[in-house]
Amino acid sequence: MLRVAVVGSGPSGVYTAQSLVQQSTVPGIRVDVLDRLPCPYGLVRYGVAPDHEKIKSLQQNLRAVLEDERITFVGDVEIGTRGLTPARLLELYHAVVYCVGAARDRRLGVPGEDLAGSCSATDFVSWYSAHPDASANGFTGSGTGLDGRSAVVIGVGNVAVDVTRILARGVDELRPTDVPEGALRALEASRVREVHMVGRRGPGQAKFTTKELRELGGLPGVRVGVEAADLALDPSFADPSGLPAVNRRNLEVVRGWAAGDADGDGVARAIRLRFFLRPVELLGENGHVAAVRFERTEPDGAGGVRGTGRFEEIEAQLVLRAVGYKGVPLPGLPFDEARGTVPNEAGRVLREGAPSLGEYVAGWIKRGPTGVIGTNRPCAKETVTSLLADAAELAGREVARDPLGALRDLGHEPVAWRGWLSIEEAESALGHALGRGRVKIPDWAGLRAAAREGV
C-alpha cells in the first residue's frame, strides 16, 4: 500500500489526487487530501466571482474526484500548527504533495499604500466570496471606500476585471448568487458610481481574457469608456497583426468602446479603462485615500514601458491593487523568495539542490502564479509521474498505520466529507431563510458548527 497526503484541495490538489489514483499501479493506494479550511475546492470556491456560475460549476467535477473511495477529504487541518510539520507528515505518509497555491498579493511599493481605503483585490475577493479569514465587516460601513463615489482598480488582468465588474454590477443580479448576506447588503448600499481600471502598459499587453473583458460591456446600466489618447500610445492598436489571437480580440473589444464615453442618460455607473499610467503615490485626506497619482508611461521599444515625467491624478475613495500573487513560505519547506515557489525538479522538492524523497509540489507553489485552472492538470500529472517513479522506494518506508488518528492525537479535529456535506446543507438552509438560493457561511465558527452537525 502507498499512502499519500495531498496538501490543498483546490484544482491543483484535486487533479493531483485524481492523477495518483488513475496512474498508479500500486495496489491499494490511498490519498488523503488535507486542507486548512473545512471546505474543499480552494480558489474555485473562494476565488471565482459569484456571478461566474459556469466556472463555479467546476466544483461538481472536483466533487466527483473527492468522492472516489480511494480518496479522503480531511478539512480544517493546517500544516505548521499543533506539531504538524512537513517532517511529521513524512512520518505519517509515504509521500506528501504540497499544492498550497500563492496566497500573498503583490504590493505596489508606493507611498500612501497603507492608507485606509487602500486594499488588495485579494482581500476584496475574499470578502465577497465569504472566505473565513476575511472580516465579514471588512468593506461594510463608513470609511471602507464603498461610501465614496470613485474607485480605482490597479491592474488589467482577470482579477482586476472581476472586482471592477462586482463594483459596477447591480445588486439584483448578485442576489441569486451565493454571495454572503453581509457583502450583498454592503454592495447594495455602495455609493461607488465610477470605477477606473488602470494599467501601466497598453491594451495590447493586458492580461485579461476576451470573454471576461466583454462582460463589462454587457452590464445593465453601466457605460464603459476608453480614452482615445491612451490607445494612441499603443503601436499595436493601429496594427495588431503581430499580437497573439487573444490580444487581438481584446483590442477589437476596446476599439468598440473608444468611440464613446462613460457618461449618458440612464447610466447608473461608469467604468473607465485607462492605459499607460503607472501609480507613483496614493494621496490621502484625513488618513483615508482620496486620489491616486500616476505617471504617464510610453512604450520603450523593447516590450516594456518607461516614464515620461508627466503626471495626473484620479480621484478615489477606494483603491484595489490587482497586480499579481506570490507564494508564501511554509515552515519546514525550502523556499525561493525571489520566485515565490518551492525549489523543485519536475515536482520533486529540492533541498540544498538534491531531491528530497517523499516531498513534492504541484500548482502555483511549484511553477508560480501562471496559467488558468486547466493548466493545473498537466502540472499535476508531471508531479505524479515523478512520485510514482519513486513509488518502490517510497513504499519501503515505515509510516503510521492510522494517519488520521495521529492527527487527532496531535490535537487536530479533522472535518470529514460528511462534515462538508453538512456545511452545504446549512448554507442551503441559510439561503432559504433569506429568500435566496444557497448562501455561503462567512466565518470559521459558523463553518465548524455546521460541520459538526454532520458528525
PDB file of all heavy atoms in Angstrom, residues 378-400:
ATOM      1  N   PRO A 378      -1.851  19.282 -16.466  1.00  0.00           N
ATOM      2  CA  PRO A 378      -0.537  18.758 -16.857  1.00  0.00           C
ATOM      3  C   PRO A 378       0.518  18.975 -15.783  1.00  0.00           C
ATOM      4  O   PRO A 378       1.446  18.163 -15.650  1.00  0.00           O
ATOM      5  CB  PRO A 378      -0.209  19.532 -18.135  1.00  0.00           C
ATOM      6  CG  PRO A 378      -1.077  20.752 -18.111  1.00  0.00           C
ATOM      7  CD  PRO A 378      -2.320  20.332 -17.401  1.00  0.00           C
ATOM      8  N   CYS A 379       0.396  20.054 -15.009  1.00  0.00           N
ATOM      9  CA  CYS A 379       1.338  20.300 -13.916  1.00  0.00           C
ATOM     10  C   CYS A 379       1.249  19.175 -12.890  1.00  0.00           C
ATOM     11  O   CYS A 379       2.262  18.628 -12.435  1.00  0.00           O
ATOM     12  CB  CYS A 379       1.022  21.653 -13.275  1.00  0.00           C
ATOM     13  SG  CYS A 379       2.020  22.046 -11.826  1.00  0.00           S
ATOM     14  N   ALA A 380       0.011  18.800 -12.514  1.00  0.00           N
ATOM     15  CA  ALA A 380      -0.182  17.715 -11.553  1.00  0.00           C
ATOM     16  C   ALA A 380       0.302  16.390 -12.117  1.00  0.00           C
ATOM     17  O   ALA A 380       0.931  15.589 -11.404  1.00  0.00           O
ATOM     18  CB  ALA A 380      -1.665  17.625 -11.184  1.00  0.00           C
ATOM     19  N   LYS A 381       0.036  16.159 -13.380  1.00  0.00           N
ATOM     20  CA  LYS A 381       0.440  14.894 -13.998  1.00  0.00           C
ATOM     21  C   LYS A 381       1.956  14.736 -13.979  1.00  0.00           C
ATOM     22  O   LYS A 381       2.474  13.642 -13.722  1.00  0.00           O
ATOM     23  CB  LYS A 381      -0.077  14.814 -15.429  1.00  0.00           C
ATOM     24  CG  LYS A 381       0.190  13.480 -16.107  1.00  0.00           C
ATOM     25  CD  LYS A 381      -0.442  13.419 -17.483  1.00  0.00           C
ATOM     26  CE  LYS A 381      -0.178  12.068 -18.146  1.00  0.00           C
ATOM     27  NZ  LYS A 381      -0.802  11.989 -19.504  1.00  0.00           N
ATOM     28  N   GLU A 382       2.688  15.825 -14.244  1.00  0.00           N
ATOM     29  CA  GLU A 382       4.149  15.754 -14.218  1.00  0.00           C
ATOM     30  C   GLU A 382       4.646  15.382 -12.822  1.00  0.00           C
ATOM     31  O   GLU A 382       5.522  14.518 -12.665  1.00  0.00           O
ATOM     32  CB  GLU A 382       4.750  17.094 -14.635  1.00  0.00           C
ATOM     33  CG  GLU A 382       6.288  17.092 -14.604  1.00  0.00           C
ATOM     34  CD  GLU A 382       6.880  18.474 -14.809  1.00  0.00           C
ATOM     35  OE1 GLU A 382       6.514  19.401 -14.056  1.00  0.00           O
ATOM     36  OE2 GLU A 382       7.714  18.615 -15.724  1.00  0.00           O
ATOM     37  N   THR A 383       4.065  16.025 -11.803  1.00  0.00           N
ATOM     38  CA  THR A 383       4.478  15.730 -10.432  1.00  0.00           C
ATOM     39  C   THR A 383       4.162  14.292 -10.057  1.00  0.00           C
ATOM     40  O   THR A 383       4.986  13.595  -9.449  1.00  0.00           O
ATOM     41  CB  THR A 383       3.786  16.701  -9.454  1.00  0.00           C
ATOM     42  OG1 THR A 383       4.251  18.030  -9.703  1.00  0.00           O
ATOM     43  CG2 THR A 383       4.079  16.323  -8.006  1.00  0.00           C
ATOM     44  N   VAL A 384       2.971  13.836 -10.420  1.00  0.00           N
ATOM     45  CA  VAL A 384       2.573  12.463 -10.093  1.00  0.00           C
ATOM     46  C   VAL A 384       3.467  11.456 -10.809  1.00  0.00           C
ATOM     47  O   VAL A 384       3.824  10.415 -10.235  1.00  0.00           O
ATOM     48  CB  VAL A 384       1.088  12.246 -10.441  1.00  0.00           C
ATOM     49  CG1 VAL A 384       0.725  10.765 -10.380  1.00  0.00           C
ATOM     50  CG2 VAL A 384       0.206  13.048  -9.485  1.00  0.00           C
ATOM     51  N   THR A 385       3.867  11.764 -12.027  1.00  0.00           N
ATOM     52  CA  THR A 385       4.785  10.874 -12.750  1.00  0.00           C
ATOM     53  C   THR A 385       6.094  10.733 -11.982  1.00  0.00           C
ATOM     54  O   THR A 385       6.645   9.629 -11.846  1.00  0.00           O
ATOM     55  CB  THR A 385       5.055  11.411 -14.166  1.00  0.00           C
ATOM     56  OG1 THR A 385       3.814  11.449 -14.891  1.00  0.00           O
ATOM     57  CG2 THR A 385       6.038  10.530 -14.914  1.00  0.00           C
ATOM     58  N   SER A 386       6.590  11.839 -11.445  1.00  0.00           N
ATOM     59  CA  SER A 386       7.819  11.784 -10.641  1.00  0.00           C
ATOM     60  C   SER A 386       7.604  10.954  -9.374  1.00  0.00           C
ATOM     61  O   SER A 386       8.441  10.115  -9.000  1.00  0.00           O
ATOM     62  CB  SER A 386       8.269  13.197 -10.265  1.00  0.00           C
ATOM     63  OG  SER A 386       8.645  13.941 -11.401  1.00  0.00           O
ATOM     64  N   LEU A 387       6.476  11.184  -8.702  1.00  0.00           N
ATOM     65  CA  LEU A 387       6.197  10.466  -7.460  1.00  0.00           C
ATOM     66  C   LEU A 387       6.095   8.960  -7.707  1.00  0.00           C
ATOM     67  O   LEU A 387       6.680   8.161  -6.959  1.00  0.00           O
ATOM     68  CB  LEU A 387       4.905  11.001  -6.843  1.00  0.00           C
ATOM     69  CG  LEU A 387       4.518  10.531  -5.442  1.00  0.00           C
ATOM     70  CD1 LEU A 387       3.578  11.545  -4.795  1.00  0.00           C
ATOM     71  CD2 LEU A 387       3.838   9.162  -5.442  1.00  0.00           C
ATOM     72  N   LEU A 388       5.367   8.573  -8.739  1.00  0.00           N
ATOM     73  CA  LEU A 388       5.172   7.145  -8.995  1.00  0.00           C
ATOM     74  C   LEU A 388       6.461   6.477  -9.452  1.00  0.00           C
ATOM     75  O   LEU A 388       6.652   5.277  -9.242  1.00  0.00           O
ATOM     76  CB  LEU A 388       4.055   6.943 -10.017  1.00  0.00           C
ATOM     77  CG  LEU A 388       2.654   7.356  -9.523  1.00  0.00           C
ATOM     78  CD1 LEU A 388       1.628   7.162 -10.626  1.00  0.00           C
ATOM     79  CD2 LEU A 388       2.264   6.570  -8.274  1.00  0.00           C
ATOM     80  N   ALA A 389       7.350   7.245 -10.071  1.00  0.00           N
ATOM     81  CA  ALA A 389       8.658   6.688 -10.419  1.00  0.00           C
ATOM     82  C   ALA A 389       9.461   6.356  -9.161  1.00  0.00           C
ATOM     83  O   ALA A 389      10.339   5.482  -9.183  1.00  0.00           O
ATOM     84  CB  ALA A 389       9.435   7.673 -11.294  1.00  0.00           C
ATOM     85  N   ASP A 390       9.142   7.041  -8.044  1.00  0.00           N
ATOM     86  CA  ASP A 390       9.815   6.795  -6.769  1.00  0.00           C
ATOM     87  C   ASP A 390       9.048   5.800  -5.898  1.00  0.00           C
ATOM     88  O   ASP A 390       9.459   5.534  -4.765  1.00  0.00           O
ATOM     89  CB  ASP A 390       9.951   8.112  -5.992  1.00  0.00           C
ATOM     90  CG  ASP A 390      10.725   9.179  -6.746  1.00  0.00           C
ATOM     91  OD1 ASP A 390      11.517   8.817  -7.631  1.00  0.00           O
ATOM     92  OD2 ASP A 390      10.517  10.380  -6.450  1.00  0.00           O
ATOM     93  N   ALA A 391       7.927   5.270  -6.413  1.00  0.00           N
ATOM     94  CA  ALA A 391       6.992   4.523  -5.570  1.00  0.00           C
ATOM     95  C   ALA A 391       7.633   3.339  -4.860  1.00  0.00           C
ATOM     96  O   ALA A 391       7.366   3.090  -3.675  1.00  0.00           O
ATOM     97  CB  ALA A 391       5.794   4.055  -6.395  1.00  0.00           C
ATOM     98  N   ALA A 392       8.462   2.587  -5.555  1.00  0.00           N
ATOM     99  CA  ALA A 392       9.064   1.393  -4.940  1.00  0.00           C
ATOM    100  C   ALA A 392       9.887   1.775  -3.716  1.00  0.00           C
ATOM    101  O   ALA A 392       9.809   1.126  -2.661  1.00  0.00           O
ATOM    102  CB  ALA A 392       9.925   0.653  -5.959  1.00  0.00           C
ATOM    103  N   GLU A 393      10.656   2.846  -3.839  1.00  0.00           N
ATOM    104  CA  GLU A 393      11.480   3.294  -2.713  1.00  0.00           C
ATOM    105  C   GLU A 393      10.616   3.895  -1.609  1.00  0.00           C
ATOM    106  O   GLU A 393      10.872   3.687  -0.412  1.00  0.00           O
ATOM    107  CB  GLU A 393      12.512   4.313  -3.201  1.00  0.00           C
ATOM    108  CG  GLU A 393      13.579   4.662  -2.175  1.00  0.00           C
ATOM    109  CD  GLU A 393      14.670   5.539  -2.752  1.00  0.00           C
ATOM    110  OE1 GLU A 393      14.598   5.899  -3.956  1.00  0.00           O
ATOM    111  OE2 GLU A 393      15.601   5.877  -1.988  1.00  0.00           O
ATOM    112  N   LEU A 394       9.560   4.622  -2.015  1.00  0.00           N
ATOM    113  CA  LEU A 394       8.676   5.245  -1.029  1.00  0.00           C
ATOM    114  C   LEU A 394       7.937   4.200  -0.207  1.00  0.00           C
ATOM    115  O   LEU A 394       7.800   4.327   1.012  1.00  0.00           O
ATOM    116  CB  LEU A 394       7.657   6.155  -1.750  1.00  0.00           C
ATOM    117  CG  LEU A 394       8.201   7.396  -2.433  1.00  0.00           C
ATOM    118  CD1 LEU A 394       7.112   8.045  -3.286  1.00  0.00           C
ATOM    119  CD2 LEU A 394       8.734   8.384  -1.409  1.00  0.00           C
ATOM    120  N   ALA A 395       7.446   3.162  -0.871  1.00  0.00           N
ATOM    121  CA  ALA A 395       6.634   2.152  -0.183  1.00  0.00           C
ATOM    122  C   ALA A 395       7.436   1.387   0.863  1.00  0.00           C
ATOM    123  O   ALA A 395       6.855   0.764   1.767  1.00  0.00           O
ATOM    124  CB  ALA A 395       6.031   1.184  -1.202  1.00  0.00           C
ATOM    125  N   GLY A 396       8.745   1.440   0.760  1.00  0.00           N
ATOM    126  CA  GLY A 396       9.579   0.735   1.732  1.00  0.00           C
ATOM    127  C   GLY A 396       9.733   1.468   3.040  1.00  0.00           C
ATOM    128  O   GLY A 396      10.277   0.904   4.004  1.00  0.00           O
ATOM    129  N   ARG A 397       9.278   2.717   3.102  1.00  0.00           N
ATOM    130  CA  ARG A 397       9.394   3.492   4.339  1.00  0.00           C
ATOM    131  C   ARG A 397       8.324   3.074   5.339  1.00  0.00           C
ATOM    132  O   ARG A 397       7.194   2.753   4.981  1.00  0.00           O
ATOM    133  CB  ARG A 397       9.253   4.986   4.035  1.00  0.00           C
ATOM    134  CG  ARG A 397      10.363   5.559   3.156  1.00  0.00           C
ATOM    135  CD  ARG A 397      10.126   7.041   2.880  1.00  0.00           C
ATOM    136  NE  ARG A 397       9.929   7.788   4.124  1.00  0.00           N
ATOM    137  CZ  ARG A 397       8.791   8.378   4.473  1.00  0.00           C
ATOM    138  NH1 ARG A 397       7.751   8.335   3.661  1.00  0.00           N
ATOM    139  NH2 ARG A 397       8.692   9.032   5.609  1.00  0.00           N
ATOM    140  N   GLU A 398       8.669   3.091   6.627  1.00  0.00           N
ATOM    141  CA  GLU A 398       7.710   2.824   7.693  1.00  0.00           C
ATOM    142  C   GLU A 398       6.916   4.100   7.989  1.00  0.00           C
ATOM    143  O   GLU A 398       7.497   5.154   8.237  1.00  0.00           O
ATOM    144  CB  GLU A 398       8.424   2.357   8.960  1.00  0.00           C
ATOM    145  CG  GLU A 398       8.997   0.955   8.877  1.00  0.00           C
ATOM    146  CD  GLU A 398       7.910  -0.111   8.845  1.00  0.00           C
ATOM    147  OE1 GLU A 398       6.816   0.141   9.407  1.00  0.00           O
ATOM    148  OE2 GLU A 398       8.146  -1.168   8.232  1.00  0.00           O
ATOM    149  N   VAL A 399       5.589   4.001   7.941  1.00  0.00           N
ATOM    150  CA  VAL A 399       4.745   5.161   8.242  1.00  0.00           C
ATOM    151  C   VAL A 399       3.631   4.734   9.195  1.00  0.00           C
ATOM    152  O   VAL A 399       3.445   3.544   9.466  1.00  0.00           O
ATOM    153  CB  VAL A 399       4.135   5.767   6.953  1.00  0.00           C
ATOM    154  CG1 VAL A 399       5.214   6.283   6.023  1.00  0.00           C
ATOM    155  CG2 VAL A 399       3.255   4.750   6.239  1.00  0.00           C
ATOM    156  N   ALA A 400       2.881   5.731   9.682  1.00  0.00           N
ATOM    157  CA  ALA A 400       1.792   5.447  10.618  1.00  0.00           C
ATOM    158  C   ALA A 400       0.709   4.609   9.947  1.00  0.00           C
ATOM    159  O   ALA A 400       0.393   4.800   8.770  1.00  0.00           O
ATOM    160  CB  ALA A 400       1.195   6.756  11.128  1.00  0.00           C
TER     161      ALA A 400
END
